[in-house]
Amino acid sequence: GQPVCVAGIVEQPVTIKNMEHAIIERAWAEGWVKPRPPKTRSNKRVAVVGSGPAGLAAADELNKKFGHHVTVFERAPKVGGLLTYGIPNMKLDKNTVERRVQLMADEGVEFRTETEVGADARELLADFDAAVLAIGSTVPNNLPVPGRDLDGVIYAMEFLTLNHKFLFAQPQAV
């Protein structure tokens, strides 16, 4: 399709997303994106439960802005939540998520995957000064719509998660 923007009044419209993407891709390619751990560290330890967009944003802020020692807990094998398991590769390449997570790790954030925090999050308080619960819902919304009970109608997250697990299991082309 044609590039569009909100206005397109003064000049030809452009796709701002494409411009931003090109800028950050060049920054990565040129080595301009580098780990920038906080200059000083607090003595606080913070657990972040959930590594989706909210959990990653919270972990990044707590690490960079406040210098807290942050540990992110994720029950899945890979970090990213919806970014990894919910958004198709054609919309968001998983390498984009992985390199950002690696950058955060290089800046001092610890990631513990395949770790499910129990129903009582108070167990975290023994080892941490604070906990951020940034978990998504695992209960799909079973809408009462005609045809919902037909064979082959499944929840989107169930399909996307199974699809991504299948893709992760495939050998990668070199």
Side-chain angles (χ1 to χ4, degrees):
Q2 287 290 346
V4 294
C5 73
V6 188
I9 297 168
V10 178
E11 297 280 339
Q12 288 295 315
V14 296
T15 54
I16 294 170
K17 176 188 172 198
N18 289 355
M19 290 172 33
E20 290 176 343
H21 186 260
I23 291 167
I24 193 60
E25 287 302 317
R26 173 130 187 236
W28 280 100
E30 297 287 337
W32 300 335
V33 179
K34 297 181 191 277
R36 290 186 171 82
K39 291 184 178 18
T40 59
R41 287 273 179 202
S42 75
N43 290 323
K44 303 290 183 188
R45 292 178 40 85
V46 179
V48 175
V49 182
S51 72
L56 292 178
D60 195 43
E61 277 297 297
L62 290 164
N63 179 51
K64 284 184 181 170
K65 189 170 183 175
F66 301 105
H68 298 326
H69 298 276
V70 179
T71 302
V72 176
F73 294 91
E74 173 55 53
R75 73 171 165 230
K78 291 188 174 267
V79 172
L82 281 174
L83 299 171
T84 299
Y85 293 103
I87 299 174
N89 286 351
M90 65 182 183
K91 292 279 191 182
L92 176 64
D93 188 285
K94 300 313 161 221
N95 292 330
T96 301
V97 178
E98 290 170 5
R99 74 179 175 196
R100 182 59 67 171
V101 168
Q102 184 59 54
L103 180 68
M104 289 176 65
D106 293 343
E107 293 173 337
V109 175
E110 180 184 349
F111 293 94
R112 294 188 195 169
T113 57
E114 298 184 287
T115 305
E116 187 163 355
V117 175
D120 185 0
R122 281 180 255 164
E123 66 193 42
L124 291 177
L125 297 181
D127 295 325
F128 295 91
D129 297 294
V132 175
L133 300 180
I135 55 176
S137 173
T138 57
V139 180
N141 190 357
N142 191 10
L143 298 174
V145 295
R148 171 64 189 98
D149 57 341
L150 295 173
D151 287 342
V153 178
I154 61 172
Y155 298 112
M157 282 305 299
E158 181 182 330
F159 168 77
L160 290 168
T161 300
L162 290 172
N163 185 54
H164 283 268
K165 285 181 180 177
F166 173 78
L167 292 174
F168 289 142
Q170 300 305 307
Q172 301 299 312
V174 184

